[in-house]
Amino acid sequence: MNFDDYCGVWVFIEQNDGKIEGVSLELLGAGRSLADKLQVPLSGFILGDGIRSLASQVIAYGADQVYVIDHPVLKHYRTESYMKGVIHLAQNYKPEIILYGATPNGKDLASAVATDLNTGLTADTTMLDVDVDKRLLEASRPAFGGNIMATILCKKHRPQMATVRPKVMKALAPDSGRNGKVIEENISLKEEEMRTKVLQIVNDVTKKTNLADAHVIVCGGKGMGDLQNFQLIHELAETIGASVGGTRDVVEAGWLPHEQQVGQTGETVTPKIYFAIGISGAIQHVVGMKNSELIIAINKDPNAPIFDVATYGIVGDAMEIVPALIEQFKSLRTEKGGEVSYV
Ligand SMILES: Cc1cc2nc3c(=O)[nH]c(=O)nc-3n(C[C@H](O)[C@H](O)[C@H](O)COP(=O)(O)OP(=O)(O)OC[C@H]3O[C@@H](n4cnc5c(N)ncnc54)[C@H](O)[C@@H]3O)c2cc1C
């Protein structure tokens, strides 16, 4: 394997029903900075049926060029057909780095491609950088139960590949004036040769708290003491129109369902405002919320690690501070024509 044949940073642009997944746009932002450091082009590659028009969006979000494989067999994601497309592109164009969103389809595709190309894959990455001299991707993720951050290198194979958690990287502001190249590729795919058939798509209609999309989150920890006190978290959230989250300890105590857990084994969130109340700030929790725009921590221990990532810290007893906040927010709350504001 001649490493000099490999050049460029690539991002898998995942689309579902013609809509690009947010994580792919975030990865274009991360990929842009890697490509600039390496002084190579950033490319997006997109597969699907009737998806050519999405290429301009990929360019607007930072790509220099977009590889498109548009084929009826690629209408729905299937490992076999998508893998064929990606292998075709990777073997023909030899990118040195390929990034995928750590979504169910992104993880499935990346692992199948890695096996076929006989290369490495770092899963669930939360930080990316590059060693420019050695041209090595530095893909970091929590390891050993989250007690350390491990930086994983792929020294002997190409392309270097990683899946990256949604909401960890930041998308660039789209610039519709950017110019880029669109390269259409044809591959031979026959429906009758596909081993899996999509018979029906059933959408999940269960009502879920979508923490990942919340603008304001009130997150409570074990420091709330018991389920009854935890109601203060719900009350504060309701008063300010926020979503409720919890730490793993809270979920294990049965105060909240798992879908409301924030952290390494829960949701990664990036709200505008994140209240961390009675939360110590263990690394496994912090990796899931540290990219929030503004973090307000309330903890009675002034040395709690949560204060290291907080924008504002309040040292004190949550049982006194949270009721005072609720009262204050209620007194400031005004409602006009259905719009709630605080003045
Ligand atoms: C593999 C693995 C994965 C994990 N994944 C996750 C995950 O996804 N998410 C997650 O959250 N954790 C996760 N954990 C657990 C994590 O390590 C911590 O144990 C957990 O985050 C601690 O939760 P906590 O902050 O609620 O509780 P504690 O660590 O017990 O902290 C409670 C805090 O409340 C403060 N406090 C107590 N009383 C009051 C009061 N009256 N007023 C104000 N403050 C008060 C205390 O000073 C303390 O700082 C994981 C662990 C492992 C090993």
Side-chain angles (χ1 to χ4, degrees):
M1 178 171 277
N2 184 0
F3 282 13
D4 292 340
D5 293 345
Y6 290 78
C7 178
V9 177
W10 282 32
V11 172
F12 170 54
I13 306 299
E14 182 175 344
Q15 57 81 27
N16 284 301
D17 288 334
K19 187 175 177 298
I20 295 177
E21 290 289 323
V23 66
S24 304
L25 304 178
E26 292 158 20
L27 286 184
L28 285 170
R32 183 72 267 164
S33 112
L34 299 179
D36 289 345
K37 282 186 186 174
L38 290 167
Q39 298 186 335
V40 294
L42 172 68
S43 307
F45 61 103
I46 185 161
L47 293 83
D49 181 26
I51 41 81
R52 287 181 182 87
S53 60
L54 297 177
S56 56
Q57 205 182 332
V58 179
I59 292 165
Y61 275 90
D64 300 308
Q65 49 200 26
V66 189
Y67 294 88
V68 177
I69 306 184
D70 203 309
H71 195 291
V73 172
L74 298 169
K75 183 169 175 56
H76 299 298
Y77 176 78
R78 279 176 290 181
T79 315
E80 195 183 0
S81 52
Y82 270 60
M83 186 179 132
K84 269 195 173 176
V86 181
I87 302 285
H88 166 89
L89 292 172
Q91 286 178 337
N92 276 297
Y93 294 101
K94 297 191 170 27
E96 58 192 310
I97 293 173
I98 309 183
L99 308 175
Y100 307 77
T103 59
N105 290 351
K107 288 186 198 182
D108 180 71
L109 179 63
S111 52
V113 170
T115 310
D116 204 85
L117 291 180
N118 193 29
T119 190
L121 170 69
T122 306
D124 263 335
T125 310
T126 55
M127 259 175 1
L128 291 172
D129 205 347
V130 74
D131 179 331
V132 178
D133 293 335
K134 295 184 180 142
R135 301 194 81 77
L136 280 175
L137 175 69
E138 298 174 333
S140 304
R141 52 156 295 152
F144 293 107
N147 291 320
I148 58 160
M149 286 296 284
T151 299
I152 297 166
L153 310 174
C154 177
K155 290 183 173 173
K156 295 187 179 160
H157 299 271
R158 290 290 178 274
Q160 305 165 84
M161 308 212 304
T163 61
V164 182
R165 274 188 163 214
K167 303 276 178 187
V168 173
M169 307 293 165
K170 282 219 158 71
L172 301 170
D175 173 1
S176 53
R178 286 191 87 246
N179 288 321
K181 211 161 110 190
V182 179
I183 302 137
E184 288 223 25
E185 282 288 312
N186 294 312
I187 55 168
S188 161
L189 288 170
K190 290 199 176 73
E191 184 55 49
E192 57 276 16
E193 288 173 6
M194 294 295 125
R195 280 171 294 184
T196 46
K197 307 283 171 205
V198 179
L199 301 180
Q200 195 187 4
I201 306 275
V202 181
N203 289 320
D204 182 356
V205 291
T206 51
K207 194 170 171 282
K208 284 191 182 143
T209 317
N210 198 352
L211 271 188
D213 295 331
H215 290 303
V216 184
I217 295 175
V218 178
C219 194
K222 208 58 198 298
M224 293 309 292
D226 58 31
L227 181 58
Q228 201 185 335
N229 290 340
F230 200 82
Q231 295 315 309
L232 285 172
I233 299 291
H234 290 283
E235 206 185 320
L236 175 58
E238 204 181 313
T239 309
I240 59 174
S243 298
V244 171
T247 61
R248 189 173 83 165
D249 289 28
V250 157
V251 170
E252 281 176 353
W255 303 349
L256 281 180
H258 178 257
E259 68 215 38
Q260 278 168 274
Q261 179 181 320
V262 174
Q264 185 189 326
T265 43
E267 289 287 335
T268 301
V269 298
T270 50
K272 290 194 184 312
I273 305 174
Y274 188 88
F275 286 88
I277 306 177
I279 293 175
S280 57
I283 179 73
Q284 297 90 347
H285 183 77
V286 169
V287 291
M289 47 65 78
K290 68 177 186 334
N291 288 335
S292 305
E293 270 179 42
L294 190 134
I295 299 169
I296 301 164
I298 303 171
N299 197 304
K300 67 179 186 188
D301 173 6
N303 297 315
I306 192 71
F307 289 128
D308 296 340
V309 292
T311 323
Y312 298 109
I314 304 172
V315 179
D317 187 347
M319 306 316 144
E320 291 168 15
I321 295 163
V322 178
L325 282 177
I326 293 169
E327 200 181 313
Q328 191 68 11
F329 278 124
K330 277 186 177 162
S331 71
L332 295 173
R333 188 183 154 111
T334 52
E335 227 175 309
K336 215 173 172 188
E339 288 262 312
V340 177
S341 61
Y342 298 88
V343 278

